[in-house]
Amino acid sequence: MIRPAALISAMLCAGAVASADTLLTDVTIVDVETGRLAAGQSILIRDGMIAEIGPDLSAPSAEVLDGAGGYLIPGLWDSHVHIFSSPTEPDIALPLYLINGITGIRDMGALWPITEQLALQARIEAGDVLGPRLILSGAWVDASPGSWPGMFLADTPAEARTVVDRIAAEGWAAVKSYSMLDEAIYMALAEAAADAGLPLVGHIPERVALGTAIDADQDGMEHFGRIPMACSTDEARMLDDLRAVMATGGDQAAIFGVMAARNRIVLETWDADLCSEVLTRMAEARIHVSPTLVVADFYTDNWPEPDAPRMQMIPSEVREAWGRPDFRLEAMTDEVRALAGDSIALDRQTFAMAHAAGVPILASSDASFANPYLFHGFSLLDELDIYVAAGLTPREALFTATVAPPRFFGLADQDGTIAPSRRADLVLLDSNPLDGLATLRHPRAVVAGGTVLDRAALDEMEAGLRAAGE
């Protein structure tokens, strides 16, 4: 049962403007798609939507926020998060996203019942809870016994079709494939999702070739590692090795061993020409990729210090859990650790090639209390910095977090532009983000569903999170 959360209620604080009309004046509107700037503009926000835009707007009854020449961009999206991995996680996650300028998130797998997820989603849409817009795409489907608790399970093609019927009836936004499905069940899942009119997103199962997923019309792919693997001339052998182990009832250690061995094989057999062919196919198929490159920080011990501000905003019990031994780190072999730097470098090289080939990218972090050192809000900004380090321009990186997500989700009132009739999800910045993304780290104001959080309100939210984290 969702309870009125004290912290969420406190977010509707004195610095938050939630009147019927708000006039944001003297801003420079950044068109992320084209790179054009429009200075000296005013934005009239009414009932959560952008009502008018122009240089000389007046609205006598509106609350006025002077933008003082700041730069206005569409609100950011994190397209792969998990905010329902513990009973009170949204209490912390929602404000963490807002203080980082993230006004939309797609949840990709939860431990909460769908009825409770839908209830929170409805409260956010109604303005009863202040938080980022929420897309529920976490109907993950795996083979028994399931990689995580609460998954839909399918061990035959018929069960896959039945599961999709349940997913559609329960009101999910998509069907999510997971890692241990075999090819026949995966193909049945893809066919059933198409019949139900639901996108198929998620993992490319570990026994399924990337090319097979393209042929199955998978709409969205989570995580990036399967792309460099598909650029290996030995992809088929790696898949067959795992199929053989699983067909003979190999235990978890044997399965993980085969998967760990892929790192060296990929590094030794990655082929640039083959990769170009794979990426061209992906671009033509419009399969959207949520890379979550920032996840590598966890595996390489790139963790913040205990007194870092982002750590102070996490509940103490979560910090303590993150400090305990982790099954994912324990599964890493010495070889995987030794190759980590080279594997990450190859991922980033392949990512740059994917972008250049036109593969659609959805900025994403995999943030969750269940994923140590992947932070709600902060890790999405880290992800964007990785994109720039890999060779994207700041504008191209911003596109993956502002324009690409709402268009992929098919939202009627959002398309990554700042225009009348669009939802008022906005971020006001001190400097031009097209010159560098550092300005995202300290927004001047954030507008979420028409509610304006000025810098004082954002500071108050940060203080509340630190207090809760003590």
Side-chain angles (χ1 to χ4, degrees):
M1 178 71 70
I2 295 176
R3 307 184 314 273
L7 184 55
I8 290 177
S9 299
M11 289 161 51
L12 292 165
C13 51
V17 178
S19 64
D21 290 1
T22 301
L23 186 64
L24 181 57
T25 64
D26 188 20
V27 299
T28 298
I29 297 176
V30 180
D31 186 324
V32 175
E33 186 165 22
T34 66
R36 289 193 292 264
L37 305 176
Q41 301 296 303
S42 295
I43 312 285
L44 180 61
I45 299 169
R46 176 176 296 144
D47 298 327
M49 306 291 288
I50 298 173
E52 296 181 59
I53 298 176
D56 298 307
L57 296 184
S58 63
S61 63
E63 295 278 353
V64 177
L65 177 64
D66 182 4
Y71 291 79
L72 193 70
I73 64 170
L76 303 172
W77 281 84
D78 189 331
S79 292
H80 188 124
V81 307
H82 301 273
I83 68 167
F84 300 108
S85 63
S86 64
T88 60
E89 191 162 357
D91 295 2
I92 306 299
L94 300 186
L96 280 173
Y97 285 113
L98 294 180
I99 65 174
N100 284 285
I102 297 161
T103 59
I105 56 175
R106 179 174 61 147
D107 192 272
M108 294 301 295
L111 301 185
W112 288 26
I114 181 60
T115 53
E116 296 186 11
Q117 297 179 57
L118 288 167
L120 180 56
Q121 180 189 55
R123 293 174 70 196
I124 292 171
E125 289 292 315
D128 297 331
V129 167
L130 183 56
R133 192 170 208 176
L134 177 58
I135 305 294
L136 300 175
S137 295
W140 41 15
V141 184
D142 203 7
S144 296
S147 303
W148 292 94
M151 288 181 147
F152 294 91
L153 300 178
D155 295 311
T156 66
E159 287 178 356
R161 297 184 186 96
T162 300
V163 160
V164 171
D165 289 341
R166 286 180 54 201
I167 289 169
E170 290 182 2
W172 296 91
V175 176
K176 179 182 178 182
S177 59
Y178 214 70
S179 299
M180 291 296 110
L181 297 173
D182 72 19
E183 187 169 315
I185 298 169
Y186 167 78
M187 295 301 291
L189 191 75
E191 181 180 354
D195 290 345
L198 290 173
L200 178 64
V201 299
H203 295 202
I204 309 299
E206 297 295 340
R207 289 176 284 175
V208 174
L210 177 55
T212 300
I214 296 172
D215 291 339
D217 293 327
Q218 181 155 335
D219 298 279
M221 171 183 171
E222 310 309 307
H223 315 303
F224 197 76
R226 290 301 304 278
I227 299 177
M229 179 175 160
C231 297
S232 162
T233 54
D234 270 358
E235 182 194 26
R237 177 168 69 88
M238 287 184 275
L239 294 170
D240 284 342
D241 287 347
L242 184 61
R243 290 169 184 149
V245 169
M246 295 190 70
T248 56
D251 60 15
Q252 187 179 70
I255 292 169
F256 282 178
V258 171
M259 292 170 61
R262 290 174 171 178
N263 290 46
R264 179 174 292 281
I265 297 170
V266 171
L267 285 168
E268 292 176 346
T269 61
W270 185 93
D271 182 85
D273 292 336
L274 174 60
C275 206
S276 294
E277 294 174 9
V278 169
L279 296 173
T280 296
R281 285 194 65 200
M282 293 183 69
E284 290 173 346
R286 301 298 294 168
I287 182 169
H288 285 62
V289 178
S290 302
T292 65
L293 298 179
V294 72
V295 171
D297 283 355
F298 166 63
Y299 288 100
T300 55
D301 297 346
N302 186 18
W303 307 339
E305 295 297 326
D307 60 350
R310 64 177 68 185
M311 286 289 284
Q312 294 173 354
M313 298 182 201
I314 300 298
S316 58
E317 62 271 20
V318 176
R319 298 197 302 268
E320 291 170 5
W322 286 0
R324 300 183 195 124
D326 184 273
F327 70 95
R328 288 156 291 199
L329 293 180
E330 291 176 341
M332 291 179 67
T333 65
D334 291 340
E335 179 180 70
V336 168
R337 291 187 182 90
L339 297 175
D342 290 340
S343 295
I344 290 169
L346 184 61
D347 281 354
R348 295 190 184 186
Q349 178 185 347
T350 309
F351 171 79
M353 290 177 62
H355 170 74
V359 175
I361 304 296
L362 304 175
S364 48
S365 71
D366 211 2
S368 170
F369 285 175
N371 291 333
Y373 307 107
L374 293 173
F375 294 82
H376 295 298
F378 294 99
S379 288
L380 189 277
L381 303 186
D382 299 339
E383 179 85 358
L384 295 180
D385 287 343
I386 291 172
Y387 296 173
V388 174
L392 274 63
T393 67
R395 185 191 65 79
E396 290 169 336
L398 276 176
F399 187 95
T400 71
T402 57
V403 180
R407 293 184 183 181
F408 178 65
F409 304 144
L411 301 177
D413 57 358
Q414 284 186 280
D415 62 359
T417 64
I418 298 175
S421 79
R422 302 295 189 268
R423 180 182 170 100
D425 283 350
L426 307 162
V427 183
L428 183 64
L429 303 167
D430 286 331
S431 60
N432 184 358
L434 305 186
D435 294 333
L437 300 185
T439 188
L440 298 178
R441 299 285 177 174
H442 193 73
R444 188 180 295 179
V446 175
V447 184
T451 296
V452 179
L453 295 157
D454 63 13
R455 190 60 247 175
L458 296 171
D459 288 342
E460 186 176 342
M461 291 170 65
E462 289 190 19
L465 289 164
R466 286 194 181 93
E470 292 178 353

